[in-house]
């Protein structure tokens, strides 16, 4: 049922239209599990991540999406803020490799806990500040990195600080 609800949310999200621009909107999607983590984990947790990327005026981009996760082995860890809550990010990196942070879902997200898991709604902006802060890139370079398909979304936990589950993202 949870993944069905996520599918409805994804369909709604991906039907959003973007303002007229030379750059086209695009979407990323992935199914999370421990086998994709680096290093791989035996976690029984799984989840889904989807995000629409919508161009805005002045070279900025908005990312709007969601993550739904069930069955984490341990409490999640916010590696950015040092608290014991969810740390979820988009990173640059091909399947099977680690990589630097591209989009901080914790910073932009609102998390809803429920028994056995959580759903996080994420609406944020790819900005020049974020690009310089995260990777020394311009906003265009950040978006090109995400569009390349060599990106992944992962969930960091106390037991698996580099990521308990991961989704190697596909550009749709």
């Amino acid at each position: 049922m949870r993944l069905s609800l996520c599918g409805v949310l994804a369909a709604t999200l991906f039907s959003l239209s973007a303002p007229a621009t030379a750059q086209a909107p695009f979407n990323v999607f992935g199914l999370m599990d421990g086998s994709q983590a680096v290093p791989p984990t035996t976690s029984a947790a799984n989840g889904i991540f989807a995000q629409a990327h919508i161009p805005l005026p002045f070279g900025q981009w908005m990312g709007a999406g969601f993550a739904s996760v069930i069955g984490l082995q341990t409490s999640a860890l916010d590696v950015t803020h040092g608290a014991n809550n969810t740390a979820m990010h988009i990173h640059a990196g091909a399947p099977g490799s680690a990589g630097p942070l591209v989009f901080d879902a914790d910073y932009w997200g609102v998390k809803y806990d429920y028994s056995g898991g959580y759903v996080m709604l994420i609406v944020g902006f790819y900005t020049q500040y974020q690009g310089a802060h995260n990777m020394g890139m311009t906003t265009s370079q950040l978006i090109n990195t995400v569009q390349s398909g060599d990106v992944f979304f992962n969930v960091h936990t106390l037991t698996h600080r580099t990521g308990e589950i991961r989704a190697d993202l596909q550009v749709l």
Side-chain angles (χ1 to χ4, degrees):
M1 178 62 183
R2 287 186 186 117
L3 290 182
S4 296
L5 175 60
C6 291
V8 170
L9 288 171
T12 302
L13 176 68
F14 293 153
S15 68
L16 295 173
S17 60
T21 179
Q23 297 174 305
F26 68 97
N27 307 300
V28 294
F29 172 83
L31 298 175
M32 293 181 270
D33 62 36
S35 70
Q36 297 174 72
V38 175
T41 71
T42 58
S43 176
N46 60 62
I48 186 171
F49 174 77
Q51 188 176 46
H53 296 80
I54 302 164
L56 301 172
F58 308 109
Q60 303 303 305
W61 285 75
M62 178 177 73
F66 70 94
S68 178
V69 177
I70 56 172
L72 290 175
Q73 291 177 348
T74 62
S75 298
L77 170 69
D78 181 338
V79 294
T80 305
H81 303 84
N84 287 332
N85 57 28
T86 307
M88 299 189 295
H89 309 110
I90 296 177
H91 294 265
S97 65
L101 177 72
V102 174
F103 187 87
D104 186 352
D106 294 322
Y107 183 77
W108 295 106
V110 176
K111 187 176 91 169
Y112 299 94
D113 291 300
Y114 60 87
S115 178
Y118 58 84
V119 172
M120 181 177 239
L121 303 177
I122 305 159
V123 177
F125 299 92
Y126 289 85
T127 65
Q128 182 65 41
Y129 166 78
Q130 187 175 8
H133 176 72
N134 291 339
M135 298 177 61
M137 292 184 170
T138 66
T139 304
S140 275
Q141 290 168 324
L142 273 175
I143 291 299
N144 289 339
T145 298
V146 176
Q147 284 179 313
S148 76
D150 283 338
V151 292
F152 62 91
F153 185 84
N154 70 349
V155 179
H156 304 270
T157 62
L158 293 171
T159 301
H160 303 284
R161 291 179 182 265
T162 60
E164 182 169 327
I165 58 175
R166 166 178 166 158
D168 292 316
L169 299 178
Q170 299 175 8
V171 178
L172 303 177

